[in-house]
Amino acid sequence: AQSVTQPDIHITVSEGASLELRCNYSYGATPYLFWYVQSPGQGLQLLLKYFSGDTLVQGIKGFEAEFKRSQSSFNLRKPSVHWSDAAEYFCAVAPSGAGSYQLTFGKGTKLSVIP
Amino acid sequence: DAGITQSPRHKVTETGTPVTLRCHQTENHRYMYWYRQDPGHGLRLIHYSYGVKDTDKGEVSDGYSVSRSKTEDFLLTLESATSSQTSVYFCAIGGPTGLAGNTIYFGEGSWLTVV
């Protein structure tokens, strides 16, 4: 069975600082990979996804993620954090080649931003 | 935003009563999903559907049933609600369509409290 680990439950960064959120997955092959963001009381918004090809993926709101097969990782990065980025971030995987996208989520990383 | 509407958005019910949550989509997508979100667990798949009358179980399906009689509607039923089913429920749509950019989109969530 596939699994997703987000090692950091809570991260606090200063506004303007760089950010990296970690995500490691366990799966027999290369899965489809996603990052979602959730603001309090809201649904999930897709930041970016990786299906194949270029291992550096650009997303919305200035985020990017890099797929590293050798490390089974898909870390999310942003060069300069804004106060509005404070939210909870979820990494998710889906089995590649399957007939549906049954996502397995990590437990999330809550990001706090200090002005 | 993807055309996903969940109802009700908030509900308080008593233990042992039946509850039905509705997900309505306007995207005519084949795949629909129900997830639940609980603190410290991220999101977990309850059931999913790959077409009208075609459904299957997810990771945490015990105590839940689903139905899909029309492409646009996916119903989640708690036959006899228990306190452990107090959660936030998210509907999602999306999956492999053969089109570039296909992905999963989430609704705004339904907050259910079982007392």
Side-chain angles (χ1 to χ4, degrees), chain A residues 34 36 38 41-46 49 51 88 90 98-108, chain B residues 9 31 33 35 37 40-43 45 48 90 94-96 101-108 111:
Chain A
F34 306 81
Y36 285 87
Q38 184 181 36
Q42 302 296 313
L44 280 76
Q45 182 181 22
L46 179 70
K49 61 189 177 185
F51 283 5
E88 191 157 19
F90 293 94
S100 68
Y101 290 171
Q102 301 166 49
L103 295 174
T104 298
F105 283 85
K107 295 183 179 180
Chain B
R9 293 292 313 281
Y31 298 98
Y33 314 80
Y35 288 86
Q37 182 178 28
H41 288 276
L43 284 87
L45 181 65
Y48 67 99
F90 286 96
N102 55 80
T103 188
I104 304 274
Y105 295 98
F106 284 80
E108 293 296 307
W111 274 254

Side-chain angles (χ1 to χ4, degrees), chain B residues 71-114:
Chain B
T71 298
E72 58 266 35
D73 290 327
F74 191 33
L75 304 181
L76 177 70
T77 297
L78 290 65
E79 300 291 349
S80 178
T82 67
S83 59
S84 65
Q85 294 176 310
T86 292
S87 187
V88 184
Y89 292 85
F90 286 96
C91 175
I93 67 172
T97 63
L99 301 174
N102 55 80
T103 188
I104 304 274
Y105 295 98
F106 284 80
E108 293 296 307
S110 293
W111 274 254
L112 177 66
T113 301
V114 183

Side-chain angles (χ1 to χ4, degrees), chain A residues 52-104:
Chain A
S52 64
D54 192 345
T55 56
L56 185 61
V57 181
Q58 301 298 321
I60 62 171
K61 304 185 179 186
F63 285 92
E64 66 178 25
E66 185 172 13
F67 167 59
K68 293 186 177 181
R69 185 191 310 272
S70 61
Q71 298 177 19
S72 297
S73 69
F74 189 56
N75 293 348
L76 182 71
R77 301 193 295 246
K78 186 170 186 178
S80 178
V81 171
H82 188 262
W83 64 266
S84 61
D85 293 325
E88 191 157 19
Y89 293 79
F90 293 94
C91 180
V93 304
S96 57
S100 68
Y101 290 171
Q102 301 166 49
L103 295 174
T104 298

